[in-house]
Amino acid sequence: MVFGGLCAQSTDTSRFYKWYAYNFTEPQEFVIKNILVEEAENKPIQKSLVVVYSGLSIGQKIKIPGNDIPNAIDNLWKLSYYSDIQVYTRITDNNGVKNAVLNFVVREQLRINGHRFPGLSNSQAKNLKEEAGLKRGMYITPNLINKTRAKIILYYRDKGYYNATVKFNRLPAFDEKTGKAMPGFENFDIIVDKGPKVKVYDFAFHGNEQLTDKQLRQSIKKLKRRYHKINIFASSKYIESKFEEEKLNIITRYLSKGFRDARIVRDSVELINPKRVVVHVDLFEGSKYHFRNIVWKGNAKYRTGFLDTVLGIKRGDVFNQTLLDERLGTVNTTGVLDIQSLYMDDGYLFFQMTPVETGVSNDSIDIEIRINEGTQAKVGRISWTGNTKTTDKVILREIRTKPGDIFSRAEIQRTMRDLAAIGLFDPQQLNVNPKPNPADGTVDIDYKLVEKPSDQIELSGGWGGNAFTRRATLIGTAGISLNNFSTRQIMHPKNWNPVPTGDGQKLSVRAQSNGSNFQAYNFSFTEPWFGGRKPNSFSVNLFRNINAFDFRQRNDPKRQYFMNTGMSVMLGKRLKWPDDFFNLQYIFSFQEYKMQNMTGGFYGFPGGFNGTSYNPSLQIILTRSSVSDPIFPTNGSTLTLSAQGTPPFSLLRNRDVSQLTQQEKYKWAEFYKWKADMEWYTPITKKLVLMNRARFGFLGYYNRAMGTTFFERFQLGGAGIFGFNIAAAEIISQRGYDNFSISATATGSEAGAPIFNKFTTELRYAITTGQTATVYALAFLEAGDAWNSVRQYNPFQLKRAAGVGMRLFMPMFGLIGLDFAYGFDYRQVPRSGKPGQVHFFIGQQF
């Protein structure tokens, strides 16, 4: 068969053509003599680019007709650089060799000169330019415009603007300097109409008979409907990508109920008005399945019955793939013992486990769990990186995985927690890299550490406290806390950075004053590993508080003041039973109280007493703490039980108390004191945590004739920062009420109450938990009260409050907090004055 074609007659690049007969049944072979390129509109063009990407070369043999020239055209089309491509051939015969000169005539696409987003702010336009990714010189093609439009629409849809539209206005390009037209270039005005935010009014489920609409809605965690919305913090913005993730949760819910064949047939979005959509989900549920036979293969370390007990799944139970994965340890977020943890904690690092469905009959499934236990691995080399200031010994004493020990995943996890608990490393960036060595059955463990700033400088002024006027005053505070101090380096100034650091010791110096009426000085030092071999801590604390209640000079005999000077020594020990989260502390303290003109029952002191009183006491504290992070805990709990007491001096003297003078009667303080503090942290999401706390305190006496001491009481109410306390009273915060107003209402004096109870529920949301700062918001409910005697004690009659707040923790300044609280029972606390309270504090948690 013979077809006609065009062939150039001229020897130059001018296009004068005649018909040339091509035989498609017997294509002829030609040698490419030359390749010419020209632009259809006689504009400059990169000719070499056309030749290179065409895939043809001079001297190449091609067949006409054939695939060579069409393939070349296809290669150039794929570049999207050209809007028109034509190829012409000029046939010559040189001594029997047929040559072909190929002439490519192309029309180049227009290019982008610039683009704008009229009507948008500079920041919005900047974000969209980054999202669109348009660059000057890019070829303008329909595909480029469509892709750019899709990117911008997706950007807005991810922010809840489901009806966003994008239009392109193409404008001629002009040189900004000369004003001349730029042939081959265009400008874009990209007009964006994001429209209103679209929210999900409701989810409509179709085909569900086994699970209710409510159950299916509960499986959608991050996207809540507006209709009958309960959780005001949950988002209702319809974001397509987020809903795609939530569809997996719907299927997971079915799988947990035994419907392993469940699937979403289709879903659609119905726009009921410009701001609301209804999401329709069509479901196929299938049949409900149950577990039948669960068989273990390859287990030698543990007997089958024990593995069945740990697995906790019996014949006839509803088939639940999620539960099976959790109990096997494939995916476990519950903390319950699983099969994989059982083996891994006993050194079986090379343990492998494969669950296989061996049979499906009607509604029952047989499972065979195939185990390859391998050999017990031992810990090989231990290494760590990232400690620039902290010495190796501080890290080594916290590491529980020792070379030669049986490998245990639990010990690695506990080491990570202990390293975070000392407060020198960023918990968010702690990591571990186990390196198994199957050849010798060992595993090397490499801990990745990132130090964080831990020292704190405090220079602050606050409004609080009570001076001689019993009104709030300005309080100034200056202090420094060094949490990685080293006494070893004191004599080596060359190693200071800029102070002696590296051994994890804690040194704190603090001074506080509101003028001549109040001064407080405090010095403390803690060695967490006293002796260097065991986790036995040693602390010493020295302090002096001076409180004046008038304007008189210090040497005035009529001056009314109270001075408290004391010291305490603490010895602590980490226990191994019931578990090693427990710590036991012994604290011996001795305080001297000097009072001048403090008569007439002022601050609860007995009338006629004007002299010196001593308070020697021994306190025993049992603590168990398993919190994940000291700054923003997400899980774990803390329990603190405390018993404190002095000798029963009045009983030892064997004298009639009524016959003693006031100075003799109160020369030695005597009391016993019980306290309990419990905290629980429950993670709701990765950033949302529920904290529950209960506190209790009781101050008792040995001798009824002596009564309750006016030292060591509990001052309840306020932000927990008065600037000072009187007679070693413990300051207990309770938001929504003024400083110590609750205890003062209960007892009639500012000295505090002998009994208090307090309960707190706090919902915390982490805004950021970075190395430089931790910020979280909170909402809380709080209830507490104080009582003057056991007969009055009623734990169900409490002063209630609720509020919101923010916390900011910066390593250099500690914790800073701001709360607004409303006291519901403020009328029962006349000293509080008003229901709404703003509380600000530094360095204390509620």
Side-chain angles (χ1 to χ4, degrees):
M1 183 177 292
V2 178
F3 288 88
L6 289 175
C7 179
Q9 292 183 4
S10 175
T11 58
D12 59 18
T13 58
S14 301
R15 298 191 293 275
F16 298 96
Y17 306 102
K18 69 174 184 178
W19 285 101
Y20 183 84
Y22 292 129
N23 189 337
F24 281 84
T25 59
E26 296 181 4
Q28 298 183 45
E29 189 173 75
F30 296 85
V31 176
I32 299 178
K33 183 178 181 181
N34 198 5
I35 300 176
L36 306 176
V37 179
E38 58 181 294
E39 218 283 335
E41 298 177 355
N42 295 321
K43 294 186 298 184
I45 189 173
Q46 296 184 23
K47 298 181 179 181
S48 60
L49 190 68
V50 175
V51 176
V52 170
Y53 281 99
S54 70
L56 301 176
S57 60
I58 296 174
Q60 179 181 343
K61 295 181 179 179
I62 62 174
K63 289 185 178 181
I64 301 178
N67 294 326
D68 300 290
I69 294 178
N71 287 341
I73 295 174
D74 188 53
N75 291 338
L76 294 176
W77 272 121
K78 290 178 180 178
L79 295 176
S80 299
Y81 294 170
Y82 311 105
S83 61
D84 186 27
I85 302 172
Q86 298 181 39
V87 180
Y88 298 90
T89 60
R90 185 171 68 246
I91 306 301
T92 62
D93 192 340
N94 186 12
N95 297 324
V97 178
K98 293 184 178 181
N99 296 324
V101 176
L102 303 183
N103 187 15
F104 284 83
V105 180
V106 298
R107 179 176 283 107
E108 199 172 34
Q109 298 274 22
L110 295 173
R111 300 191 190 193
I112 297 175
N113 178 57
H115 60 287
R116 303 178 304 174
F117 293 88
L120 299 183
S121 65
N122 290 336
S123 61
Q124 291 175 327
K126 181 180 178 181
N127 292 337
L128 286 182
K129 283 185 177 182
E130 293 177 356
E131 196 70 25
L134 296 177
K135 305 294 183 184
R136 187 181 186 277
M138 295 178 73
Y139 288 95
I140 303 173
T141 66
N143 182 51
L144 177 71
I145 293 176
N146 292 335
K147 286 175 65 176
T148 303
R149 178 183 287 110
K151 287 179 181 179
I152 297 173
I153 290 176
L154 181 61
Y155 172 82
Y156 277 106
R157 284 193 172 185
D158 282 344
K159 296 182 179 298
Y161 297 96
Y162 183 72
N163 297 319
T165 59
V166 179
K167 295 181 180 179
F168 287 80
N169 289 341
R170 300 173 63 169
L171 307 172
F174 296 90
D175 189 285
E176 293 182 357
K177 295 182 179 179
T178 63
K180 294 182 179 180
M182 299 176 62
F185 288 87
E186 282 187 348
N187 290 327
F188 279 172
D189 274 357
I190 304 176
I191 313 299
V192 178
D193 181 8
K194 63 183 181 181
K197 280 190 177 181
V198 176
K199 298 186 177 182
V200 177
Y201 177 73
D202 201 359
F203 294 98
F205 298 99
H206 311 284
N208 56 309
E209 297 179 357
Q210 302 299 327
L211 294 184
T212 65
D213 288 0
K214 182 179 180 181
Q215 289 175 310
L216 294 175
R217 284 195 301 269
Q218 289 173 345
S219 65
I220 301 176
K221 305 294 184 182
K222 299 179 182 178
L223 191 59
K224 299 298 181 183
R225 62 175 186 169
R226 291 287 298 176
Y227 180 67
H228 290 172
K229 186 176 181 179
I230 298 176
N231 183 0
I232 61 174
F233 298 103
S235 174
S236 295
K237 291 185 297 186
Y238 178 72
I239 299 174
E240 189 173 359
S241 59
K242 185 182 292 186
F243 179 64
E244 288 297 322
E245 298 174 4
E246 296 300 325
K247 285 160 64 175
L248 296 177
N249 294 333
I250 296 174
I251 299 303
T252 301
R253 185 64 176 266
Y254 270 105
L255 293 177
S256 68
K257 300 295 184 182
F259 297 95
R260 65 194 300 269
D261 297 330
R263 66 181 184 273
I264 295 177
V265 178
R266 59 181 170 272
D267 61 90
S268 59
V269 177
E270 179 189 1
L271 190 68
I272 59 175
N273 65 52
K275 295 183 179 181
R276 295 290 183 268
V277 296
V278 174
V279 179
H280 295 271
V281 181
D282 294 346
L283 296 159
F284 172 77
E285 294 180 321
S287 302
K288 189 173 186 177
Y289 290 84
H290 298 78
F291 288 104
R292 188 167 59 181
N293 299 317
I294 300 179
V295 179
W296 302 87
K297 294 290 186 180
N299 55 304
K301 172 67 178 179
Y302 299 104
R303 58 185 177 83
T304 298
F306 179 68
L307 294 179
D308 285 337
T309 301
V310 175
L311 187 65
I313 298 176
K314 302 186 217 36
R315 181 186 179 95
D317 287 353
V318 172
F319 181 82
N320 186 336
Q321 185 66 51
T322 302
L323 179 63
L324 180 63
D325 291 341
E326 288 179 351
R327 297 293 173 83
L328 291 177
T330 307
V331 177
N332 192 349
T333 58
T334 62
V336 178
L337 179 64
D338 58 71
I339 303 297
Q340 184 165 319
S341 296
L342 184 69
Y343 275 93
M344 295 286 279
D345 291 345
D346 200 19
Y348 290 90
L349 176 64
F350 309 109
F351 162 84
Q352 293 180 346
M353 175 177 53
T354 306
V356 178
E357 292 185 8
T358 57
V360 179
S361 177
N362 297 325
D363 64 347
S364 298
I365 299 175
D366 295 330
I367 303 290
E368 183 176 280
I369 304 173
R370 300 169 184 173
I371 294 176
N372 181 9
E373 294 178 337
T375 58
Q376 277 185 310
K378 292 187 177 182
V379 177
R381 186 176 62 90
I382 303 294
S383 61
W384 53 84
T385 57
N387 56 314
T388 56
K389 290 185 177 181
T390 308
T391 58
D392 288 343
K393 72 171 187 178
V394 174
I395 300 167
L396 182 60
R397 66 196 186 191
E398 300 295 341
I399 291 179
R400 294 170 176 264
T401 52
K402 307 296 182 183
D405 289 351
I406 297 296
F407 173 81
S408 173
R409 187 173 64 175
E411 291 298 322
I412 292 178
Q413 293 171 343
R414 181 61 190 276
T415 296
M416 299 286 283
R417 179 206 168 273
D418 289 347
L419 287 171
I422 61 178
L424 304 179
F425 305 104
D426 184 2
Q428 305 298 322
Q429 300 190 60
L430 283 175
N431 204 352
V432 62
N433 182 24
K435 301 175 181 178
N437 304 308
D440 59 3
T442 64
V443 55
D444 297 334
I445 301 175
D446 183 24
Y447 292 96
K448 305 294 184 182
L449 311 175
V450 177
E451 286 187 329
K452 68 176 184 178
S454 57
D455 299 334
Q456 298 176 8
I457 297 176
E458 184 178 359
L459 291 171
S460 64
W463 191 257
N466 295 79
F468 64 92
T469 61
R470 301 192 184 186
R471 295 181 180 177
T473 58
L474 184 65
I475 303 170
T477 303
I480 183 170
S481 296
L482 306 176
N483 294 313
N484 197 7
F485 191 71
S486 173
T487 54
R488 284 188 312 113
Q489 301 292 346
I490 292 179
M491 305 305 295
H492 302 85
K494 292 182 179 180
N495 298 331
W496 293 13
N497 189 23
V499 296
T501 59
D503 286 346
Q505 299 167 339
K506 293 178 172 54
L507 177 69
S508 175
V509 180
R510 191 170 187 263
Q512 193 175 39
S513 176
N514 68 356
S516 60
N517 296 97
F518 165 68
Q519 298 96 43
Y521 309 95
N522 186 281
F523 168 86
S524 66
F525 173 80
T526 300
E527 167 56 73
W529 282 65
F530 189 52
R533 294 186 177 182
K534 294 183 179 181
N536 299 328
S537 58
F538 169 79
S539 296
V540 60
N541 185 33
L542 306 174
F543 56 89
R544 168 171 282 191
N545 298 328
I546 303 172
N547 301 277
F549 301 93
D550 53 29
F551 281 120
R552 301 180 188 276
Q553 299 297 318
R554 293 186 178 181
N555 57 358
D556 191 330
K558 295 184 179 181
R559 185 184 184 212
Q560 191 176 50
Y561 77 91
F562 178 95
M563 181 172 13
N564 177 16
T565 305
M567 69 167 293
S568 64
V569 178
M570 186 274 289
L571 292 174
K573 181 179 181 180
R574 186 184 297 172
L575 303 181
K576 296 183 179 180
W577 186 90
D579 61 39
D580 55 7
F581 286 112
F582 279 89
N583 283 274
L584 185 63
Q585 295 177 338
Y586 301 91
I587 302 176
F588 173 75
S589 64
F590 186 88
Q591 300 184 59
E592 178 192 62
Y593 308 107
K594 287 187 176 180
M595 285 158 274
Q596 179 175 298
N597 301 317
M598 299 286 289
T599 59
F602 189 65
Y603 271 90
F605 298 142
F609 180 71
N610 189 26
T612 303
S613 183
Y614 301 99
N615 177 9
S617 68
L618 176 66
Q619 185 177 12
I620 301 175
I621 302 175
L622 180 65
T623 303
R624 185 187 188 278
S625 177
S626 61
V627 295
S628 57
D629 181 353
I631 305 302
F632 185 77
T634 56
N635 58 71
S637 63
T638 298
L639 169 66
T640 303
L641 301 176
S642 169
Q644 182 182 3
T646 64
F649 293 108
S650 63
L651 300 179
L652 295 175
R653 284 182 298 206
N654 198 23
R655 295 177 60 184
D656 186 359
V657 174
S658 63
Q659 301 300 318
L660 298 177
T661 64
Q662 291 283 54
Q663 280 70 22
E664 292 176 321
K665 182 178 180 180
Y666 296 112
K667 182 177 182 180
W668 296 95
E670 59 176 70
F671 63 88
Y672 61 88
K673 192 174 185 180
W674 303 90
K675 292 187 295 182
D677 191 346
M678 293 160 282
E679 293 181 7
W680 300 268
Y681 295 91
T682 305
I684 298 175
T685 65
K686 186 177 181 180
K687 293 187 174 182
L688 190 64
V689 179
L690 179 66
M691 188 276 288
N692 291 299
R693 187 175 188 182
R695 301 184 68 183
F696 170 80
F698 173 77
L699 181 67
Y701 53 81
Y702 303 110
N703 192 334
R704 185 178 298 274
M706 290 288 294
T708 304
T709 180
F710 45 84
F711 301 118
E712 300 283 350
R713 295 191 175 202
F714 305 103
Q715 292 181 320
L716 184 64
I721 177 169
F722 305 162
F724 61 88
N725 55 13
I726 299 295
E730 290 193 42
I731 300 173
I732 310 297
S733 66
Q734 183 162 341
R735 292 161 286 188
Y737 301 89
D738 207 355
N739 291 344
F740 61 76
S741 58
I742 294 178
S743 57
T745 299
T747 62
S749 74
E750 292 85 348
I755 306 173
F756 88 95
N757 240 104
K758 179 187 168 186
F759 303 94
T760 303
T761 293
E762 198 167 271
L763 194 62
R764 300 176 176 181
Y765 180 79
I767 299 173
T768 178
T769 55
Q771 184 176 352
T772 56
T774 296
V775 182
Y776 61 90
L778 57 91
F780 64 88
L781 298 172
E782 202 159 72
D785 210 341
W787 297 270
N788 202 29
S789 66
V790 175
R791 291 184 178 180
Q792 297 174 352
Y793 177 69
N794 184 353
F796 302 103
Q797 185 175 348
L798 306 173
K799 307 299 186 293
R800 301 160 299 165
V804 295
M806 292 287 293
R807 296 290 182 272
L808 167 65
F809 178 86
M810 293 187 294
M812 287 293 291
F813 299 100
L815 188 69
I816 302 172
L818 180 66
D819 290 324
F820 173 78
Y822 186 90
F824 297 105
D825 302 303
Y826 74 98
R827 298 183 188 277
Q828 301 177 28
V829 188
R831 293 172 181 258
S832 188
K834 57 183 180 180
Q837 298 278 346
V838 176
H839 303 292
F840 173 78
F841 69 91
I842 297 178
Q844 178 179 342
Q845 294 193 54
F846 285 89

